[in-house]
């Protein structure tokens, strides 16, 4: 896979998460006022729209990378892409949990308690577990439809992309307690 494609993919996926972190920190002061509401805040609405827009681009980039690496025949592609589409839809739902957890981390960062840190880490680990289970379930579906080698190729590529994204997100977040 070309380094440029990887960098582009990471930029497109990580950007909405990174945008969410400073935006959540900026809205921390406005969230304390009674007039501010998470559901009616225009900034929050804009962030959600921006995330959805970028996710569409990320899905396209991931699909292009996946397609170039998977090298599927037309018959195999007809079996693979619907499975991959289901996987991406489920992954996006899980990513909503991750974004919410990062926003909560940003909101709580300056006033972090042991209880809040524990809650955030448990949420992050639950996300990772659910994502791993989703990948395993999708592997089984691809294996049934296209065989073990193709399924293994899918997991290898997807895992590499997820690890790159995870590293980018983790490197952008401040370590808890280092600013207190």
């Amino acid at each position: 896979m070309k380094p440029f494609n990887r960098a582009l993919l990471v930029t497109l996926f990580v950007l909405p998460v990174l945008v969410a972190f400073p935006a959540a920190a900026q809205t921390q002061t406005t969230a304390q006022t009674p007039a501010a509401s998470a559901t009616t805040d225009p900034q929050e609405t804009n962030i959600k729209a921006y995330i959805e827009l970028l996710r569409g681009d990320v899905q396209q980039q991931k699909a292009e990378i996946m397609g170039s690496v998977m090298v599927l025949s037309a018959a195999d592609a007809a079996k693979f892409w619907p499975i991959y589409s289901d996987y991406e839809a489920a992954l996006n739902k899980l990513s909503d949990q991750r974004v919410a957890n990062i926003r909560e981390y940003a909101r709580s960062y300056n006033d972090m308690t042991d209880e809040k840190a524990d809650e955030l880490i448990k949420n992050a680990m639950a996300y990772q577990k659910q994502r791993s289970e989703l990948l395993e379930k999708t592997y089984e579906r691809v294996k049934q439809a296209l065989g073990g080698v193709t399924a293994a190729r899918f997991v290898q590529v997807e895992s590499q992309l997820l690890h790159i994204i995870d590293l980018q997100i983790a490197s952008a977040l401040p370590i808890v307690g280092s600013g207190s």
Side-chain angles (χ1 to χ4, degrees):
M1 182 178 325
K2 294 180 183 176
F4 176 75
N5 286 344
R6 284 186 182 189
L8 183 59
L9 173 69
V10 169
T11 302
L12 290 174
F13 185 78
V14 173
L15 189 57
V17 176
L18 298 180
V19 167
F21 186 80
Q26 290 172 356
T27 58
Q28 182 177 355
T29 55
T30 59
Q32 295 169 350
T33 61
S37 167
T39 57
T40 60
D41 181 14
Q43 184 176 8
E44 183 68 18
T45 302
N46 288 342
I47 290 170
K48 286 180 184 178
Y50 187 61
I51 288 171
E52 289 305 313
L53 182 66
L54 286 177
R55 274 190 182 159
D57 290 342
V58 170
Q59 289 173 342
Q60 179 63 33
Q61 290 294 320
K62 278 184 73 183
E64 288 175 11
I65 292 169
M66 191 63 70
S68 70
V69 176
M70 293 300 290
V71 190
L72 300 168
S73 68
D76 287 349
K79 296 174 188 174
F80 175 77
W81 290 112
I83 296 170
Y84 185 77
S85 180
D86 291 347
Y87 167 78
E88 280 294 309
L91 185 61
N92 275 338
K93 288 180 183 176
L94 283 177
S95 295
D96 289 342
Q97 294 175 6
R98 184 181 215 179
V99 169
N101 202 46
I102 291 171
R103 285 182 175 165
E104 182 62 19
Y105 179 65
R107 191 190 67 71
S108 306
Y109 184 76
N110 291 325
D111 301 315
M112 189 64 65
T113 64
D114 287 340
E115 294 78 17
K116 181 52 81 173
D118 184 54
E119 173 191 332
L120 293 168
I121 289 300
K122 284 182 179 177
N123 288 345
M125 288 191 281
Y127 162 78
Q128 291 293 335
K129 181 180 178 184
Q130 290 173 324
R131 188 176 79 177
S132 179
E133 290 168 352
L134 174 63
L135 188 58
E136 183 178 348
K137 176 182 162 187
T138 306
Y139 165 77
E140 291 298 332
R141 287 184 65 196
V142 174
K143 183 173 81 172
Q144 289 238 342
L146 299 166
V149 172
T150 301
R153 188 178 317 122
F154 158 71
V155 170
Q156 284 180 314
V157 174
E158 185 66 18
S159 293
Q160 289 172 359
L161 294 172
L162 293 174
H163 287 311
I164 291 168
I165 292 165
D166 289 345
L167 182 59
Q168 287 291 323
I169 292 170
S171 68
L173 295 174
I175 301 296
V176 68
S178 64
S180 324

